[in-house]
C-alpha cells in the first residue's frame, strides 16, 4: 500500500487520520492510538511520529469524492493550483455535488461556469468579484452570516467539512507552518475538517498569532512557487479624499484604535491620518494603507488593551510590499476572527474608530452594505461586529462610522427616502451613530426620525436635498428639523 493511500485510508475518522504514520505500518498506528496521540484536534500541537507527505496537486485531490464538503482558504491565500486540480479531477472522475465553502476568493473560478453545473458548487460566505455574477444568476449559493460567527458553522458542524484546502508558509525547523495572510475562519475549518491538504509556498509570509499549524496535521503537502493574489490599488477621487480628511480631522483622536473595512474610503482615511499620534490597529483586515503610518511612527499600538504594541488583524490583502512586511514580523498578531471581531474584545481598546462603507442609507438610518437592490454584492463581513464594538467602547469615546459618497457615479443619491426593493439592511438604524459624506458628518445617535432625516439631508448632495425634504415629509408627515 502506498503512503498516499494510507493517508486516506481512514477518511471517515478525523482523529484517526491525524494520527496515521504515513510511512509506518498499520500496527504502528494502533500503537499510536494506545498512547493517546489521537486525542488532540488542536492544529498547533504536533502529532508525534507522523511524517510529512509530499505529493502533487493532482495526487492531493484524487481521493476527493462526490458529495464532499470542502473548505477553501481565501483572499490572498486562495490556493488556485489546488482548485484547478480539483476541477480537473472532478470532471475526469465524473464526480457530483461537491460543495466549496469559503469567504472571498481571488483568481479564476472555473467551477462557477455552466461546464461544472452539478459537479462543483460554491457556498459563498462573503462574495468577491469572481463569483458575484454566479451568486446573482443562481449558480453560486450565498450565505449571510456575521464574520465573527463563521467559525461556529464548522465548530457546531452546521457545515460538516470533509476536506480543507489551505495555503501555508514552508515548515520551520520545528515543523510549524503558518496560515500567513488569512487566519479568519480558516483555523476553525482545519480543526474541524476530516482532512487537510496544504499548498506550501515560499511566497506565503510566516505570521505570528493563531495561524500556526504543525505539519503533522497536514495529510498532503503540495510544494509550489506561486505568487500570492494582490489587491489593486484603490483609486482615490476627490470625494473619497474629502471623506477621509473629514473622518481624520473630526472623528479619530490621537491614541485611537482603528478598524477599517476594505475600499477607497478606508484607504483615504488612512492617508489623512499621517499627523496623528499613537494610533493602534485592531481590525478584521488591513491593506497597504497602514504601512506608511507604521513607517512614520503614527501607528505604535501603545495604548491598546488587547495585545498592546501589536497590530491585531484576522486577514490581510494587498501588495507584495505588504506581504514582505508581514513575514516574520512579531509586531503583527493574526487572530481567529471569532475573537478578533468579538465586541467584548473590541470595546476594551481605547477610542475605537470603526470606519465602514455603505451602498446606500435611508432617511431613518438603515444601512445597505451587501447588495444593490436585489443584486448581492459582497456580504455582512465584520461591519456590525465593529460598529457595535465601537459603540460600546469601555471608555465611552468610540466612534462607529458609516462613510459613503453622497451620490453614485451616475449622479444618483446614496441617501434615499427608501432603500431599493430587494436590498438588505446590514446595519440597522439603531446601530448607526455617525454617517459621513464629502459634505460633512451626520450624528444620528439619540436622534428621532425627524432629526435623523434633517441630519442626513444636510450631508446629501445639494442636487438632491430638495427632493429628499419632500420625500421625508411624505414619509414622516412632518418636516425634518434639528430640534
Amino acid at each position: 500500500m502506498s503512503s498516499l493511500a494510507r493517508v486516506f485510508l481512514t477518511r471517515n475518522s478525523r482523529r484517526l487520520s491525524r494520527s496515521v504514520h504515513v510511512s509506518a505500518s498499520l500496527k504502528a498506528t494502533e500503537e499510536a492510538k494506545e498512547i493517546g496521540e489521537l486525542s488532540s484536534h488542536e492544529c498547533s500541537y504536533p502529532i508525534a511520529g507522523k511524517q510529512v507527505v509530499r505529493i502533487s496537486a493532482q495526487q492531493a485531490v484524487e481521493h476527493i469524492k462526490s458529495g464532499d464538503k470542502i473548505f477553501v482558504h481565501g483572499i490572498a491565500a486562495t490556493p488556485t493550483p489546488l482548485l484547478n486540480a480539483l476541477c480537473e479531477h472532478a470532471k475526469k472522475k465524473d464526480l457530483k455535488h461537491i460543495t466549496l465553502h469559503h469567504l472571498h476568493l481571488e483568481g479564476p473560478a472555473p467551477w462557477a461556469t455552466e461546464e461544472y453545473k452539478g459537479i462543483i458548487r460554491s457556498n459563498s460566505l462573503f462574495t468577491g468579484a469572481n463569483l458575484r455574477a454566479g451568486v446573482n444568476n443562481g449558480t453560486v449559493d450565498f450565505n449571510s452570516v456575521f464574520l465573527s460567527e463563521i467559525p461556529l458553522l464548522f465548530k457546531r458542524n452546521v457545515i460538516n467539512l470533509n476536506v480543507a484546502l489551505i495555503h501555508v508558509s514552508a515548515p520551520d525547523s520545528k515543523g510549524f507552518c503558518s496560515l500567513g495572510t488569512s487566519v479568519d475562519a480558516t483555523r476553525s475549518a482545519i480543526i474541524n475538517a476530516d482532512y487537510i491538504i496544504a499548498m506550501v509556498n515560499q511566497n506565503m509570509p510566516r505570521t505570528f498569532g493563531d495561524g500556526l499549524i504543525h505539519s503533522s496535521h497536514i495529510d498532503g503537502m503540495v510544494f509550489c512557487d506561486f505568487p500570492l493574489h494582490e489587491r489593486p490599488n484603490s483609486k482615490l477621487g476627490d470625494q473619497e479624499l474629502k471623506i477621509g480628511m473629514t473622518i481624520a480631522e473630526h472623528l479619530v483622536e490621537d491614541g485611537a484604535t482603528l478598524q477599517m473595512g476594505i475600499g477607497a474610503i478606508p484607504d483615504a482615511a488612512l492617508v489623512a491620518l499621517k499627523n496623528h499620534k499613537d494610533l493602534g490597529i485592531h481590525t478584521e483586515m488591513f491593506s497597504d494603507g497602514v504601512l506608511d503610518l507604521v513607517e512614520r511612527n503614527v501607528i505604535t499600538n501603545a495604548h491598546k488593551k488587547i495585545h498592546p504594541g501589536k497590530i491585531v488583524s484576522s486577514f490581510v490583502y494587498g501588495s507584495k510590499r505588504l506581504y514582505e512586511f508581514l513575514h516574520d514580523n512579531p509586531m503583527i498578531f493574526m487572530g481567529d476572527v471569532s475573537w478578533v471581531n468579538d465586541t467584548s474584545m473590541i470595546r476594551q481598546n481605547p477610542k475605537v474608530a470603526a470606519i465602514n462603507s455603505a451602498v446606500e442609507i435611508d432617511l431613518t438610518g438603515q444601512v445597505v452594505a451587501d447588495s444593490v437592490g436585489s443584486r448581492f454584492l459582497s456580504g455582512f463581513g465584520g461591519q456590525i461586529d465593529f460598529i457595535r464594538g465601537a459603540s460600546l467602547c469601555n471608555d465611552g469615546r468610540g466612534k462607529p462610522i458609516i462613510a459613503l459618497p453622497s451620490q453614485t457615479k451616475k449622479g444618483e443619491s446614496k441617501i434615499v427616502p427608501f432603500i431599493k426593493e430587494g436590498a438588505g439592511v446590514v446595519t440597522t438604524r439603531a446601530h448607526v451613530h455617525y454617517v459621513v459624506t464629502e459634505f460633512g458628518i451626520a450624528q444620528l445617535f439619540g436622534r428621532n426620525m425627524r432629526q435623523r432625516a434633517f441630519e442626513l439631508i444636510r450631508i446629501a448632495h445639494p442636487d438632491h436635498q430638495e427632493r429628499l425634504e419632500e420625500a421625508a415629509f411624505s414619509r414622516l408627515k412632518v418636516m425634518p428639523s434639528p430640534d
Side-chain angles (χ1 to χ4, degrees):
M1 183 181 295
S2 71
S3 61
L4 180 63
R6 285 184 182 159
V7 171
F8 290 95
L9 180 64
T10 55
R11 66 171 292 118
N12 292 322
S13 172
R14 179 187 180 280
R15 291 193 177 196
L16 186 55
S17 75
R18 290 297 176 86
S19 69
V20 172
H21 293 208
V22 175
S23 63
S25 66
L26 293 178
K27 180 180 178 181
T29 302
E30 294 302 317
E31 292 172 354
K33 291 169 66 176
E34 291 177 7
I35 62 174
E37 289 175 1
L38 307 182
S39 62
S40 175
H41 285 202
E42 173 48 55
C43 61
S44 63
Y45 189 87
I47 299 173
K50 186 181 175 189
Q51 298 178 16
V52 171
V53 180
R54 295 183 62 145
I55 52 180
S56 68
Q58 290 71 29
Q59 288 175 311
V61 300
E62 69 180 21
H63 287 272
I64 291 175
K65 60 181 178 56
S66 292
D68 273 353
K69 297 176 176 63
I70 303 172
F71 175 81
V72 184
H73 211 166
I75 321 290
T78 303
T80 298
L82 292 183
L83 288 169
N84 290 339
L86 173 61
C87 288
E88 293 174 10
H89 166 69
K91 280 191 67 178
K92 181 179 178 181
K93 296 295 184 179
D94 195 27
L95 301 184
K96 304 295 182 186
H97 307 304
I98 293 171
T99 305
L100 306 182
H101 299 277
H102 52 78
L103 291 156
H104 178 156
L105 297 181
E106 282 297 322
W111 66 90
T113 63
E114 187 68 23
E115 183 181 2
Y116 287 89
K117 185 176 181 179
I119 301 174
I120 303 174
R121 188 176 178 90
S122 267
N123 179 47
S124 180
L125 302 165
F126 190 96
T127 300
N130 57 354
L131 291 175
R132 194 168 291 137
V135 165
N136 289 292
N137 67 24
T139 57
V140 172
D141 289 315
F142 176 67
N143 193 324
S144 287
V145 60
F146 296 123
L147 183 56
S148 60
E149 292 188 340
I150 292 175
L152 288 178
L153 297 176
F154 311 132
K155 183 177 181 180
R156 295 177 179 174
N157 290 323
V158 175
I159 297 174
N160 195 355
L161 296 171
N162 303 108
V163 180
L165 301 182
I166 63 172
H167 188 171
V168 299
S169 66
D172 65 13
S173 61
K174 300 289 193 259
F176 288 94
C177 301
S178 165
L179 295 176
T181 58
S182 295
V183 175
D184 46 62
T186 306
R187 190 177 194 279
S188 177
I190 60 179
I191 288 173
N192 291 284
D194 294 334
Y195 283 88
I196 298 174
I197 299 169
M199 189 170 86
V200 183
N201 186 359
Q202 64 181 4
N203 298 308
M204 176 61 77
R206 180 175 179 267
T207 57
F208 296 89
D210 294 334
L212 289 180
I213 175 171
H214 194 266
S215 54
S216 59
H217 287 261
I218 298 172
D219 299 301
M221 302 182 79
V222 179
F223 284 75
C224 69
D225 181 1
F226 184 79
L228 298 185
H229 296 281
E230 296 185 33
R231 177 188 171 217
N233 290 329
S234 295
K235 295 181 180 179
L236 303 182
D238 292 340
Q239 283 181 318
E240 290 83 9
L241 290 170
K242 183 67 181 296
I243 293 168
M245 186 63 69
T246 300
I247 291 170
E249 290 183 352
H250 299 285
L251 295 176
V252 179
E253 302 179 55
D254 288 342
T257 304
L258 302 179
Q259 175 265 339
M260 50 287 197
I262 193 168
I265 288 175
D267 288 350
L270 290 169
V271 169
L273 288 167
K274 61 181 179 295
N275 294 320
H276 278 59
K277 297 178 181 178
D278 287 331
L279 298 178
I281 303 289
H282 182 115
T283 183
E284 67 194 54
M285 68 82 60
F286 68 92
S287 192
D288 288 67
V290 306
L291 298 181
D292 289 342
L293 297 183
V294 170
E295 291 176 358
R296 296 174 68 100
N297 216 33
V298 172
I299 292 174
T300 64
N301 301 290
H303 301 295
K304 288 173 55 190
K305 303 300 181 183
I306 305 298
H307 289 301
K310 297 182 184 294
I311 291 174
V312 172
S313 185
S314 190
F315 66 94
V316 301
Y317 183 37
S319 69
K320 185 176 180 181
R321 178 189 174 207
L322 177 67
Y323 305 147
E324 289 173 348
F325 170 74
L326 289 180
H327 182 62
D328 271 337
N329 189 345
M331 177 183 171
I332 313 299
F333 191 102
M334 300 294 291
D336 187 314
V337 77
S338 63
W339 72 261
V340 171
N341 281 38
D342 186 335
T343 56
S344 68
M345 295 286 116
I346 297 164
R347 67 183 297 179
Q348 294 180 50
N349 285 312
K351 308 173 188 175
V352 175
I355 307 167
N356 288 272
S357 303
V359 173
E360 65 179 1
I361 182 169
D362 79 357
L363 290 172
T364 70
Q366 296 186 105
V367 174
V368 176
D370 73 339
S371 54
V372 178
S374 60
R375 184 169 66 89
F376 292 113
L377 185 66
S378 53
F380 263 55
Q383 182 170 126
I384 284 287
D385 299 330
F386 278 93
I387 288 291
R388 195 62 181 152
S391 302
L392 299 173
C393 196
N394 287 358
D395 62 11
R397 297 169 73 173
K399 301 292 195 307
I401 302 163
I402 299 293
L404 71 169
S406 64
Q407 60 181 3
T408 68
K409 293 179 181 178
K410 295 181 179 180
E412 299 174 353
S413 181
K414 289 196 169 193
I415 297 174
V416 295
F418 299 93
I419 61 176
K420 289 183 176 64
E421 182 179 1
V425 173
V426 169
T427 300
T428 74
R429 58 172 70 102
H431 285 95
V432 178
H433 287 211
Y434 299 94
V435 180
V436 183
T437 73
E438 71 272 26
F439 293 103
I441 302 170
Q443 207 282 87
L444 304 190
F445 183 61
R447 302 291 199 267
N448 58 41
M449 296 304 132
R450 171 173 50 82
Q451 294 167 328
R452 283 168 172 251
F454 177 85
E455 285 285 303
L456 288 165
I457 292 169
R458 184 175 58 79
I459 65 167
H461 194 284
D463 291 351
H464 303 289
Q465 289 181 352
E466 183 176 350
R467 182 182 63 84
L468 288 170
E469 283 184 349
E470 293 171 356
F473 181 79
S474 176
R475 179 174 182 178
L476 302 174
K477 311 308 179 189
V478 63
M479 280 298 292
S481 64
D483 301 316

